[in-house]
Amino acid sequence: MGALPTIHDVARVAGVSRQTVSNVLNSPDIVRPDTRDRVTTAIAELGYRPHESARRLRTRKSSTIGIRIDPMTDGISGSVLDRFLHALTEQAAAQGLRVMLFTATDPDDEIRQFARLRDGADVDAFVLTSTFHGDPRTEWLIENEQSFVTFGRPWGIDDMNDPAHLWVDVDGWWGLHEATTALLAQGRRRVGYIGWPSPSGTGDDRRRGWHDAMLAGSGLTDAQLAPLAIATPDGVTPGGAALRALLAGSPGVDPVDAVVCASDSLALGALIASAGAIPVIGYDNTPVAQALGLSSVEQPLDEVASGVLELLTGAHRGRPDAGPATDPRHRLVRPRLVLRSPAPLPTP
Amino acid sequence: MGALPTIHDVARVAGVSRQTVSNVLNSPDIVRPDTRDRVTTAIAELGYRPHESARRLRTRKSSTIGIRIDPMTDGISGSVLDRFLHALTEQAAAQGLRVMLFTATDPDDEIRQFARLRDGADVDAFVLTSTFHGDPRTEWLIENEQSFVTFGRPWGIDDMNDPAHLWVDVDGWWGLHEATTALLAQGRRRVGYIGWPSPSGTGDDRRRGWHDAMLAGSGLTDAQLAPLAIATPDGVTPGGAALRALLAGSPGVDPVDAVVCASDSLALGALIASAGAIPVIGYDNTPVAQALGLSSVEQPLDEVASGVLELLTGAHRGRPDAGPATDPRHRLVRPRLVLRSPAPLPTP
DNA sequence: AGCAGGAATTTGAACGATCAAATTGCACAA
DNA sequence: TTGTGCAATTTGATCGTTCAAATTCCTGCT
C-alpha cells in the first residue's frame, strides 16, 4: 500500500468530481441517491478518510476541544477529572470531535496556553474545570471571543443566571440534601457535616444542602445546627479529627449520630475514625469509596459531558451571545446517592 | 483585531519573503543573523503563530501523539494512568508535541481507532499502556508501520531484548525487591506476598522481586516461601482476606510478620485487616496510600514519560527498524520505595 | 574587470480539502 | 421547438504552510 487515498482518487474511481465526493461527505442530501451510492462504494473500496488537517485548513474549524489536565494534587478525588475526561472523550468522538490535552502551572499560564492553542488553530473550543469566583481565565476567554464551556458555575453573584458564559454543573446542594434526608429517614436526628472552610463555591453549596435538609427534617434550629458542622482542609486525617470532635460533642452539644462529608477523603477519615459506629456518607463516589463500601454521592459525569458538548455544538456554539436568548445557557445536573452496606471495614 | 496574521503578513512587515520567515522558524541557522532578527521582531510584533493544520498538511506530520484513556475500571490504581498522562502531556508540550485522547471498548476497537486517527492524519505516533503477551495492538501497529512506544514490556519470550518494538517500563522486580529488603533490614523475617494469579506479566515480575529478595535475605528456602505468597484478584476485600489467611498461618506454617503487595488496593485491604499489627507495603503510591500513610513503591512516571518521548523523537522515531541498531530500543526505570510512618490508622 | 562558487533569499508549485460560481441535465410550460 | 427554472454536478480559486528549484547577492581570486 502506497500513499493514502485522497478525495481525488475517490472521485476518479466513482467517476465523479472532487466536489461531489465532498458533498456526499458533508451534505449527502443534495446528491442524487444513485451517485451517492457509487461514491460511498468507492470510499469503502479505497478505505478513504478525509485528511483532517486539510479540512481544518480550509474550513478554519479544528473540531477539537482543548482541556487542561491537572497535576493530580487533588488527592483521592483526583479521579473525578479522569472520569470526566473519559466521558468527554467518548462522547466527543461520537460527534466527530477530538479532545486535546494541555497542562498549565497556574491560571495565567493556562491563559498563555489558550493563546497558543488558538493561534495554532489547534482547538476551537475549551472546556474549563474547577472554576472559581472572578476566574481570570473565563474573563480572558470572553474578551477574546473564544468558545468555551465550564464544568462548574462561575460562583459569582446570581451565578445561576449569569449570561456571560455557558456552564454545566452538578447540584451539590441537592446531593447533600439527598444524603442528609436519607440518613434522617433512617431515624438519625443529629447528622453532622464535615466540609471545607468558606469561601468555597462548591463547598458552601454542599453545606447548604445539608443545612436545608436538617432544618426541614431534624427539628433542630439554626443555632443548634451550627456546632454540628465542621470546616477543615480536605484530607483523610482532617476528616478523622473532625469526626472525633463531632462524636465527642462539647458542653451543651450532644454527639452526632451520622455524618455527611464534602468529599470522599474527609469521609474516609471519618469512616475509619468512627469504626463503623455511625453511618458516613461521602462525595464523589471515588474508587476508594467503592472499594470500602462507603456510601457516597456520585456525580453523573456522563451527563455533565453531554451537557458540555450540547452547549458547545448547540445553538450557542460555545459563545454565550451567539444563540437565541431562549436557549438554555447552562445546565445543572443532579447527582445520585449511592448507599452501600453499613459496615464495610473488616473488624480487626 | 481581525483575522490571525499569516506567514505572509510577517514577511511583508519584515520586508522578506514567506520562505525566509519559514526558514527562521524551521532552520534558523541558514538565515543571516540580521535578517533573522528582523523577522523575529516582526513575529513578536504581530503575535504570529504558524497555523498548525496548514503545516501538517504540507509536511505530513501531525506532531501529535495519540493515547487511549481507560474507562477507569481500575479501581484505586486508576490514577496511575492519570499521572502518566499528565507527565506525558507536560513533557510533550515542551517538545512541541500535542497529546490527543481517544477511547476504545476493547483491543479490536482500539485498532479501529488507530486506523481512524492515522487516516485522518491526526496523530503520527501512539503511546500504548497496559500491554500484554501477544497483544494484537502492537502486531497491527508493526504491520502497518505506525510509530509507537509502549509503556510496558511486550511480556513475551525474551521481552527485554525484543527488537520488534520500543518500550519503556518500570522495574517491578526491583521495586518489590527493595520493599522486601527494607522489611528484612527492619528485622522482619517472614515477609509475605499478596499478588495476582499467574500468568500476569507485571504480577509475576513483582512476585519474583519479592521471591528473590527473600531467598537472598530471609534464610528461607523455596519450599518454605511458597505458602507465604497468595494470589488473589485485585481489590481491597481480597487483600484483607489474603492478609488474614497469612496471619492465621496453617499447620506447619508460621504467620507472616510483614507483607508486601502487588497493588495499593491489596495493600489497603491488608492494612485495614492487620490493624497496624505488621508493616504493609503497597505498590503505585496512589493518593490513598499517601492519605493513609501506607508505604508504597512509587513508579517514576516522569521518567517513563521522558523515556517514551525519547524513543519517539530519538533515532528510532518510534519505529524499531528506523534507527541504528546500537541505539537503545527500550528503557527500564527503577521505582522508588516510599516508606511512611508505621501506624497511620487511628485505633477505633 | 570578470568570473567562479557558495551563501542567502525568492519564486512557483503542491499538500488535500471546501467554497463560490459556473455549467450541465432534465422536466415542463409556452 | 424553444425557453424557463431548478436540481445535480463540475470547475477554478483558496486556506497557510513548506518543498524544490531558480534567482540574487556577496566574496575572493585570477
Side-chain angles (χ1 to χ4, degrees):
Chain A
M1 49 164 286
L4 290 175
T6 73
I7 202 171
H8 194 268
D9 300 322
V10 177
R12 193 161 25 75
V13 169
V16 297
S17 71
R18 308 187 303 276
Q19 187 60 34
T20 300
V21 179
S22 175
N23 287 336
V24 168
L25 262 52
N26 300 307
S27 25
D29 43 315
I30 69 165
V31 178
R32 210 170 44 196
D34 58 325
T35 356
R36 188 165 52 210
D37 290 345
R38 211 143 29 92
V39 171
T40 44
T41 306
I43 288 178
E45 187 182 323
L46 296 175
Y48 165 77
R49 298 233 183 220
H51 191 291
E52 292 298 336
S53 290
R55 174 179 276 182
R56 284 202 273 272
L57 172 59
R58 190 61 179 103
T59 60
R60 315 189 116 302
K61 299 228 167 292
S62 69
S63 301
T64 302
I65 298 167
I67 184 168
R68 182 182 118 229
I69 180 170
D70 276 320
M72 269 303 294
T73 49
D74 291 344
I76 290 177
S77 307
S79 65
V80 171
L81 176 63
D82 198 28
R83 282 160 56 209
F84 173 62
L85 217 50
H86 179 81
L88 188 70
T89 306
E90 197 164 47
Q91 299 190 28
Q95 304 194 24
L97 297 173
R98 282 164 291 276
V99 174
M100 177 163 292
L101 296 180
F102 63 94
T103 58
T105 53
D106 54 73
D108 285 335
D109 185 39
E110 187 166 356
I111 288 173
R112 274 192 296 278
Q113 305 296 333
F114 289 159
R116 186 175 64 87
L117 291 166
R118 176 203 52 181
D119 293 347
D122 274 328
V123 311
D124 45 25
F126 292 98
V127 172
L128 270 70
T129 57
S130 318
T131 50
F132 48 89
H133 183 41
D135 200 321
R137 302 173 301 165
T138 55
E139 284 173 24
W140 187 92
L141 290 166
I142 291 170
E143 266 177 37
N144 290 72
E145 298 183 322
Q146 268 293 313
S147 291
F148 73 99
V149 173
T150 63
F151 172 10
R153 274 162 274 185
W155 295 116
I157 311 296
D158 194 26
D159 47 54
M160 294 293 281
N161 300 305
D162 188 343
H165 82 257
L166 310 173
W167 56 261
V168 178
D169 205 357
V170 175
D171 193 345
W173 182 93
W174 201 84
L176 264 97
H177 195 275
E178 281 287 283
T180 309
T181 306
L183 291 171
L184 290 171
Q186 287 172 20
R188 307 287 164 167
R189 277 297 162 269
R190 301 185 59 78
V191 181
Y193 174 78
I194 305 177
W196 309 312
S198 278
S200 149
T202 346
D204 296 346
D205 189 45
R206 294 181 191 173
R207 184 174 41 66
R208 276 192 296 272
W210 160 79
H211 183 264
D212 293 352
M214 287 298 283
L215 221 48
S218 72
L220 299 178
T221 66
D222 241 2
Q224 290 171 315
L225 282 176
L228 298 190
I230 291 192
T232 178
D234 198 47
V236 176
T237 312
L243 186 99
R244 277 189 293 279
L246 288 175
L247 271 184
S250 56
V253 178
D254 291 337
V256 299
D257 59 3
V259 70
V260 293
C261 304
S263 77
D264 273 359
S265 299
L266 292 170
L268 175 57
L271 180 72
I272 293 169
S274 79
I278 63 168
V280 175
I281 300 184
Y283 199 100
D284 278 345
N285 196 25
T286 54
V288 195
Q290 298 172 32
L292 294 177
L294 170 67
S295 297
S296 194
V297 175
E298 177 171 83
Q299 309 205 37
L301 299 173
D302 288 326
E303 273 184 66
V304 174
S306 67
V308 165
L309 288 171
E310 237 165 63
L311 290 173
L312 233 34
T313 59
H316 293 292
R317 324 214 76 212
R319 302 256 292 281
D321 46 356
T326 54
D327 254 56
R329 287 204 171 79
H330 51 252
R331 182 156 151 196
L332 195 62
V333 304
R334 286 190 168 173
R336 188 172 62 92
L337 177 62
V338 180
L339 287 173
R340 294 203 170 84
S341 52
L345 279 182
T347 326
Chain B
M1 50 164 285
L4 291 174
T6 72
I7 202 170
H8 193 267
D9 299 321
V10 177
R12 193 162 24 78
V13 169
V16 297
S17 71
R18 307 188 304 276
Q19 187 59 33
T20 301
V21 179
S22 175
N23 286 337
V24 168
L25 261 51
N26 300 307
S27 26
D29 44 313
I30 69 165
V31 178
R32 211 171 43 197
D34 58 327
T35 350
R36 187 163 53 209
D37 290 345
R38 211 143 28 91
V39 171
T40 44
T41 306
I43 288 179
E45 188 181 321
L46 296 176
Y48 164 78
R49 298 234 183 222
H51 192 291
E52 292 297 336
S53 289
R55 173 178 277 183
R56 285 202 271 275
L57 172 59
R58 190 62 180 107
T59 62
R60 316 188 119 294
K61 298 228 166 293
S62 69
S63 301
T64 302
I65 298 168
I67 184 169
R68 183 181 119 230
I69 178 169
D70 276 321
M72 270 302 295
T73 50
D74 291 344
I76 291 177
S77 307
S79 64
V80 172
L81 177 63
D82 198 27
R83 281 160 57 209
F84 173 62
L85 216 50
H86 180 82
L88 188 69
T89 305
E90 197 164 46
Q91 299 190 29
Q95 305 194 22
L97 297 174
R98 281 164 293 276
V99 174
M100 177 163 293
L101 296 181
F102 63 94
T103 58
T105 52
D106 54 74
D108 284 335
D109 185 40
E110 187 166 357
I111 288 174
R112 274 192 296 278
Q113 305 295 334
F114 290 160
R116 185 175 66 88
L117 291 165
R118 175 203 52 179
D119 293 347
D122 274 327
V123 311
D124 46 25
F126 292 98
V127 173
L128 270 70
T129 56
S130 319
T131 50
F132 49 91
H133 183 40
D135 200 321
R137 303 174 300 166
T138 53
E139 283 173 23
W140 187 92
L141 289 165
I142 291 169
E143 266 176 36
N144 291 71
E145 298 183 323
Q146 268 292 313
S147 291
F148 74 98
V149 174
T150 64
F151 172 10
R153 275 161 274 186
W155 295 117
I157 310 298
D158 195 25
D159 47 55
M160 294 293 282
N161 299 306
D162 187 344
H165 82 258
L166 310 173
W167 56 260
V168 178
D169 205 357
V170 175
D171 194 345
W173 180 95
W174 202 84
L176 264 96
H177 194 275
E178 281 287 284
T180 308
T181 306
L183 291 171
L184 290 170
Q186 287 172 18
R188 307 287 164 167
R189 278 298 161 269
R190 302 185 58 77
V191 181
Y193 174 77
I194 306 179
W196 309 312
S198 280
S200 150
T202 348
D204 296 345
D205 189 45
R206 294 181 191 174
R207 184 175 40 67
R208 276 192 295 273
W210 160 80
H211 183 265
D212 292 352
M214 287 298 283
L215 219 49
S218 72
L220 299 179
T221 65
D222 241 359
Q224 290 172 315
L225 283 176
L228 297 189
I230 291 193
T232 177
D234 198 46
V236 176
T237 313
L243 186 98
R244 277 189 292 277
L246 288 174
L247 272 183
S250 56
V253 178
D254 291 338
V256 299
D257 59 3
V259 70
V260 293
C261 304
S263 78
D264 272 0
S265 299
L266 292 169
L268 176 58
L271 181 72
I272 293 170
S274 78
I278 62 168
V280 175
I281 300 184
Y283 199 100
D284 277 345
N285 196 26
T286 55
V288 194
Q290 298 172 33
L292 294 178
L294 170 68
S295 296
S296 195
V297 175
E298 176 170 85
Q299 309 206 35
L301 298 173
D302 288 327
E303 272 185 66
V304 174
S306 67
V308 164
L309 287 170
E310 237 166 62
L311 289 174
L312 233 34
T313 59
H316 292 291
R317 322 215 79 212
R319 301 256 293 282
D321 46 357
T326 53
D327 255 56
R329 287 204 173 78
H330 50 251
R331 180 154 151 198
L332 195 62
V333 305
R334 286 190 168 172
R336 188 172 64 91
L337 177 63
V338 180
L339 286 174
R340 295 203 169 85
S341 51
L345 278 183
T347 324

